[in-house]
Amino acid sequence: MKQVDSDKTMLSILKILDKQHDIVIGSRELSRQLKMHGVNISERTVRYHLRILDERGLTKVFGKEGRMITPKGREELINARVSEKVGFIISKIETLSYLTDLNLESGQGNVILNISCFPEKKLSEALRIMKPVFSSPYIMSDKVVLKKSGEKIGDFPVPKNMVGLGTVCSVTINGIFLKAGIPVTSRFGGVLQINSEPIRFTALISYEGSSLDPLEIFIKSRMTDIRSAVSTDYGKILASFREIPVVTLEKTLQLKENLKSKGIGGILLVGNPNQPLLEMPVGIDKAGMVIVGGLNPIAALEEAGIQAVSKAMSTLYPFSELVSFKDLY
């Protein structure tokens, strides 16, 4: 049991160091932040665990100032204790929904971005491929941010020889609805078949039991056909299935139209009370809602052979600082 507790403590330390990877953090600050992770230990005990992490090459010492996580430490964080990460995605959705504070009237406030990186030398080709997608109904918004190598999107540094593209994440809808008093339950991420109109989901992964973002999995598995959906109205796109309380249905439809007028789309369908939507059953006194995936433009790149590394729900970003894709290409 002690070994399990020790492993949990060291994993929590790595999480804190990774979240603030660009600064050196001392044992006192680590002890304070560990309490947020449910780990209540003294500075002395923190130093004990740090020595173990140092010996394993997972952290780097900066004199008396503290530590920073190493690349090996990040790798350990990715691979360690998968069982603890089950449900991580739904937890992240709930946290970011709460932190989204976009004011639709003023256009000020933060939205959630997905960040995708692809080779700088492929930029012109990538923009050409994504252009039709950004003119289609299968995007959250045509507002984006594009940064070059060495620049940052929020707190995310764009790697060398790459460009970073930030696209509006569909979880932004959850946050906006929450601020409007409408709780949204994210049920599944999936692949949605299109035949002039949405037909059915052909693949689904529950957010509740996943340690990875479902849409990232579908992209890398090449299960989409976004380009055909855009050009011929027949294909497969990324989308998610969510639920709202029946009593909020009228307000939801009003908010959907208001969002569209402000440059945020994404809501493909809203179902009827207590009735299945696209063959998907809903809970008691619930209505279904289908929302497009914010990573659909990136899926088009993968289909065309341009590999991208995506991180869904990556950062909060001021909506007013985003630009129209048309301004890029």
Side-chain angles (χ1 to χ4, degrees):
M1 187 67 179
K2 286 185 177 180
Q3 181 60 47
V4 172
D5 290 343
S6 181
D7 288 347
K8 180 183 176 182
T9 299
M10 288 189 284
L11 186 61
S12 296
I13 290 172
L14 289 176
K15 285 178 181 176
I16 294 168
L17 293 175
D18 184 55
K19 191 173 182 180
Q20 302 171 72
H21 59 271
D22 53 350
I23 62 173
V24 178
I25 304 179
S27 56
R28 178 178 296 179
E29 178 61 17
L30 281 169
S31 178
R32 187 187 70 81
Q33 292 194 35
L34 280 168
K35 290 180 174 63
M36 296 293 291
H37 290 255
V39 180
N40 194 355
I41 57 175
S42 66
E43 284 182 56
R44 182 178 178 180
T45 309
V46 170
R47 288 194 292 270
Y48 164 76
H49 286 95
L50 285 171
R51 282 196 295 272
I52 297 174
L53 291 170
D54 294 340
E55 290 169 1
R56 295 179 182 176
L58 305 180
T59 51
K60 183 178 180 181
V61 185
F62 286 83
K64 294 183 178 180
E65 294 180 43
R67 266 79 167 179
M68 293 181 76
I69 192 169
T70 64
K72 188 177 178 181
R74 285 201 185 91
E75 185 178 349
E76 175 67 16
L77 197 55
I78 291 169
N79 297 328
R81 301 179 73 116
V82 172
S83 61
E84 285 196 354
K85 299 176 186 176
V86 173
F88 167 75
I89 291 298
I90 196 70
S91 175
K92 191 173 184 180
I93 287 172
E94 291 169 352
T95 300
L96 289 174
S97 297
Y98 178 79
L99 293 174
T100 302
D101 59 1
L102 176 64
N103 184 310
L104 289 178
E105 300 310 312
S106 67
Q108 300 298 311
N110 291 317
V111 295
I112 306 162
L113 294 189
N114 307 308
I115 297 178
S116 303
C117 295
F118 50 88
E120 198 167 20
K121 62 184 180 181
K122 297 281 189 179
L123 176 58
S124 180
E125 183 184 358
L127 293 176
R128 177 183 60 79
I129 291 166
M130 291 188 290
K131 184 178 180 179
V133 184
F134 275 103
S135 299
S136 77
Y138 307 132
I139 55 164
M140 276 297 304
S141 173
D142 75 335
K143 301 291 187 182
V144 299
V145 57
L146 184 71
K147 296 291 184 180
K148 296 180 180 179
S149 172
E151 297 180 324
K152 285 188 175 184
I153 300 177
D155 57 0
F156 177 85
V158 179
K160 187 177 180 181
N161 299 324
M162 304 286 273
V163 290
L165 180 71
T167 54
V168 176
C169 175
S170 65
V171 178
T172 297
I173 296 286
N174 294 42
I176 293 171
F177 273 50
L178 182 63
K179 296 298 183 292
I182 303 173
V184 177
T185 303
S186 295
R187 293 273 312 280
F188 302 99
V191 177
L192 180 63
Q193 183 180 348
I194 302 293
N195 188 356
S196 298
E197 61 183 21
I199 301 298
R200 67 177 67 84
F201 282 98
T202 60
L204 291 168
I205 295 178
S206 169
Y207 286 112
E208 193 72 45
S210 180
S211 63
L212 300 171
D213 185 270
L215 302 192
E216 292 180 41
I217 297 171
F218 293 133
I219 290 174
K220 288 302 180 183
S221 301
R222 301 290 178 90
M223 295 175 68
T224 63
D225 194 1
I226 305 286
R227 301 174 78 193
S228 289
V230 170
S231 61
T232 69
D233 283 335
Y234 184 86
K236 293 179 180 179
I237 70 167
L238 298 169
S240 61
F241 188 83
R242 302 180 191 183
E243 289 183 346
I244 54 170
V246 165
V247 293
T248 67
L249 200 50
E250 184 178 346
K251 191 174 182 180
T252 292
L253 295 173
Q254 292 172 353
L255 189 52
K256 176 188 173 186
E257 294 306 311
N258 192 17
L259 281 167
K260 193 182 295 184
S261 70
K262 304 298 181 181
I264 298 177
I267 303 176
L268 278 183
L269 297 169
V270 178
N272 294 316
N274 296 300
Q275 292 184 19
L277 178 61
L278 298 182
E279 304 176 6
M280 294 295 299
V282 296
I284 297 173
D285 291 334
K286 300 285 187 180
M289 186 162 64
V290 176
I291 300 178
V292 300
L295 287 172
N296 275 324
I298 306 305
L301 292 186
E302 291 279 353
E303 292 169 14
I306 297 179
Q307 292 195 347
V309 178
S310 295
K311 190 176 180 185
M313 298 180 283
S314 185
T315 190
L316 291 163
Y317 200 86
F319 185 67
S320 60
E321 294 182 17
L322 300 177
V323 299
S324 172
F325 183 84
K326 294 175 183 176
D327 294 337
L328 301 179
Y329 190 84

